[in-house]
Amino acid sequence: MTTRVAVVGAGIIGLGIAWRCVQRGLDVTVYDAGEDGASTVAAGMLAPTSEIQAGEEALQGLLVDSNRRWPGFAAELEKATGVELGYRDEGTLIVALTDDDLREVRRLAGWYERAGQPVSPLTARQLREREPLLSPRVRGGAHAPQDRQVDPRRLLTALRHAVGDRIVPRKVTDLADVDADRTVVAAGIGTTTLTGLPVRPVKGQTVRLKAPAPPVRHVIRGYARSRPVYLVPRHDGELVVGATEEERGADTTVTAGGVLDLLRPAAELLPGIVEYPVTEILAGLRPGTPDNAPILGALKDNLIIAAGHYRNGVLLTPVTADLVAELVATGVPPQEIEPFTPDREALWT
Amino acid sequence: MTTRVAVVGAGIIGLGIAWRCVQRGLDVTVYDAGEDGASTVAAGMLAPTSEIQAGEEALQGLLVDSNRRWPGFAAELEKATGVELGYRDEGTLIVALTDDDLREVRRLAGWYERAGQPVSPLTARQLREREPLLSPRVRGGAHAPQDRQVDPRRLLTALRHAVGDRIVPRKVTDLADVDADRTVVAAGIGTTTLTGLPVRPVKGQTVRLKAPAPPVRHVIRGYARSRPVYLVPRHDGELVVGATEEERGADTTVTAGGVLDLLRPAAELLPGIVEYPVTEILAGLRPGTPDNAPILGALKDNLIIAAGHYRNGVLLTPVTADLVAELVATGVPPQEIEPFTPDREALWT
């Protein structure tokens, strides 16, 4: 008999796993609570680098692994669904407004290097040759050619197409109500209520602007007077400005300070944005964990967790989908996810 | 037979005139194009002062006249309709962030004095005694005790109640289609298309925040590094931050620069606003005229204009309603509106 798999959560993580499980011939049902998760707010930068703290080397390895999987994942998903994902590979320009900000850029470049990701310093002149609309006050920066971007809303749409009518509109409030051989909980910040695992909301605000034409080609990761900001351009002229990080519980209000913290540094780095219409201001909740790494693995027999992807959910979708589907299908955890099991000590200290 | 009066335009000016005409026993019909006009975006500061240029003394007189009428108008309208207007008379605090801004405050105080409006200088300490949440960096300012405020949306609601079923949903595109003995055009920026009079849109963006409780009691008219801003507190904690002035035609997009131009100085003067949720960002179109004064009077027999109130529509509603209703009822223009006739030279040079 075909194994019946329930996936609780219809965000990009749950749907990615469901798609891979369908491809493996499993009988999949996805429970969709109908709530907007982190992926509808995310900008979609794919930068496989993080500020590594002691003990986070495993996360760095997973980010790089998933980044390698992205080109194939995007091509396959676009082919399967006909949905264009907005996948782009111009790389990131890292940009500093002041000398102090340049020091921050060097620190960020250090993360890239430690992650084995190439990064080349650029002078102010070289930056403006690549992006003429950058402020003439910009002091310098760097180029990270292996960073990519994707439009998370298109990714969600594509995955919904791929999984199709296996998605059922139902909010699961108790896992005992789920009738399946194996259950995957991919419920983002909802995972805590369902399982007791420590996934907390980390608020992020983003502003979306609409330019008549894309003002920059690259993703810009900028520092302006010590305020970090990123600018993610889409082909249609949309410019996503992100993102704050706020520990405020499950609060999705948009605040004056959030908007200021985004638009002020954005306008210092790319002055032309002041003319652009504001089309959306949104706050989302990233699913954070105590050690900033996702929770991947079996919590108990036939109950598998894929949650807590924090700032890296879009980047980690391919590797999570591949490895968790393998665990679901075989019952054996792939070696790569062993550092991320639900019983690891770092979650509980 | 009762005189049949048509009022084209269902903003606060048109409805104010209609209300007064009904009280005079006229048979009134108001044509409502169903479009949001300037009054739904306006903050509702009632400050009877303007930067008087040569030839604008008459406008100053009209502003002061209407300000005097406001207490009685508000009381009568509230009594007639049961709608509370948010009418408040704490006055305005004028606030300067820097020494340069203090010079701007002195200039503004000069306008008040020339308008015969009392204004008292205040030290930084005195300002913060009145409004403890003002930034400790504020350098000084003044108090204008005779300024008032009203909530323009409540004013609109009250006037709609007062005029009641005499309001007809219909967009008038040609005055020849209007069947009435006398027609009043109070169509704001729509007046140009109907009459050829020079009324142009002047864009204004406002941001509305929602505090848990009002952070200030007074209207704040501030200058922060040469950027002017006003903050109008409502009883329910709403704080209206306004307003840009932009000559961009009939463009009502909200822009990144507009939002920055409001929130940046607002947060410098009242730092606590960064915590407040943003509830609305709106752009409206003020009806401007070449000499910044409204157009009040007969354009030809039985065709009367009441339009072009620019930044002063809310303040000028009582005097406009009273005087234009008198003209409609008697056919004789009150002396006070003579400087504002449609054929005055300043409109056409």
Side-chain angles (χ1 to χ4, degrees), chain A residues 29-303:
Chain A
T29 303
V30 177
Y31 293 106
D32 178 4
E35 294 159 357
D36 278 347
S39 47
T40 57
V41 180
M45 281 199 301
L46 308 177
T49 52
S50 67
E51 185 164 19
I52 298 302
Q53 301 178 354
E56 290 184 11
E57 295 82 3
L59 172 59
Q60 183 61 69
L62 196 71
L63 298 174
V64 171
D65 182 350
S66 203
N67 200 46
R68 276 196 217 104
R69 292 173 196 247
W70 249 108
F73 181 88
E76 186 183 349
L77 184 60
E78 289 191 342
K79 193 170 172 208
T81 63
V83 176
E84 204 274 312
L85 297 179
Y87 178 79
R88 295 171 57 174
D89 60 3
E90 289 90 349
T92 297
L93 288 188
I94 309 172
V95 177
L97 188 71
T98 68
D99 286 341
D100 279 349
D101 295 323
L102 256 185
R103 277 187 278 280
E104 197 60 32
V105 165
R106 287 197 199 102
R107 204 168 131 257
L108 181 58
W111 308 349
Y112 277 84
E113 278 157 13
R114 279 190 289 284
Q117 297 292 307
V119 59
S120 345
L122 293 177
T123 63
R125 173 190 292 263
Q126 288 169 323
L127 282 170
R128 280 198 301 279
E129 277 168 11
R130 289 173 190 239
E131 296 293 1
L133 298 184
L134 282 173
S135 166
R137 291 159 54 222
V138 157
R139 295 301 300 270
H143 182 224
Q146 289 189 8
D147 282 2
R148 295 160 185 145
Q149 67 146 301
V150 69
D151 183 336
R153 294 176 182 178
R154 289 169 173 263
L155 174 60
L156 190 65
T157 300
L159 286 168
R160 290 188 74 92
H161 276 284
V163 177
D165 58 12
R166 297 170 191 90
I167 304 172
V168 173
R170 177 177 147 198
K171 184 174 169 66
V172 173
T173 54
D174 186 337
L175 292 178
D177 301 338
V178 176
D179 177 29
D181 300 319
R182 285 191 182 141
T183 298
V184 179
V185 176
I189 59 166
T191 301
T192 299
T193 317
L194 291 170
T195 66
L197 285 165
V199 181
R200 75 181 191 286
V202 181
K203 181 176 174 180
Q205 302 190 47
T206 55
V207 175
R208 281 171 163 77
L209 309 176
K210 186 68 196 286
V216 287
R217 286 187 316 117
H218 300 79
V219 170
I220 308 286
R221 196 162 167 168
Y223 297 89
R225 304 178 202 286
S226 307
R227 293 181 304 241
V229 70
Y230 57 71
L231 298 149
V232 181
R234 309 262 190 247
H235 281 303
D236 64 357
E238 183 176 82
L239 188 69
V240 185
V241 184
T244 66
E245 292 208 40
E246 305 163 60
E247 299 277 357
R248 295 186 172 239
D251 161 26
T252 54
T253 54
V254 165
T255 62
V259 173
L260 269 177
D261 284 348
L262 297 173
L263 291 183
R264 211 160 21 182
E268 289 197 289
L269 295 168
L270 207 61
I273 70 154
V274 298
E275 297 295 327
Y276 301 154
V278 176
T279 51
E280 282 184 45
I281 306 179
L282 279 178
L285 300 172
R286 305 177 189 87
T289 62
D291 62 356
N292 301 330
I295 305 174
L296 306 172
L299 182 62
K300 54 186 182 183
D301 277 356
N302 299 321
L303 178 59

Side-chain angles (χ1 to χ4, degrees), chain B residues 234-285:
Chain B
R234 309 264 190 244
H235 281 303
D236 64 357
E238 183 176 81
L239 188 69
V240 185
V241 184
T244 65
E245 292 207 39
E246 305 162 60
E247 299 277 356
R248 298 190 171 236
D251 162 27
T252 54
T253 55
V254 164
T255 63
V259 173
L260 270 177
D261 284 348
L262 297 172
L263 291 183
R264 212 159 21 183
E268 289 197 291
L269 296 167
L270 207 60
I273 70 153
V274 297
E275 298 295 327
Y276 301 154
V278 176
T279 51
E280 281 185 44
I281 307 178
L282 279 179
L285 300 173

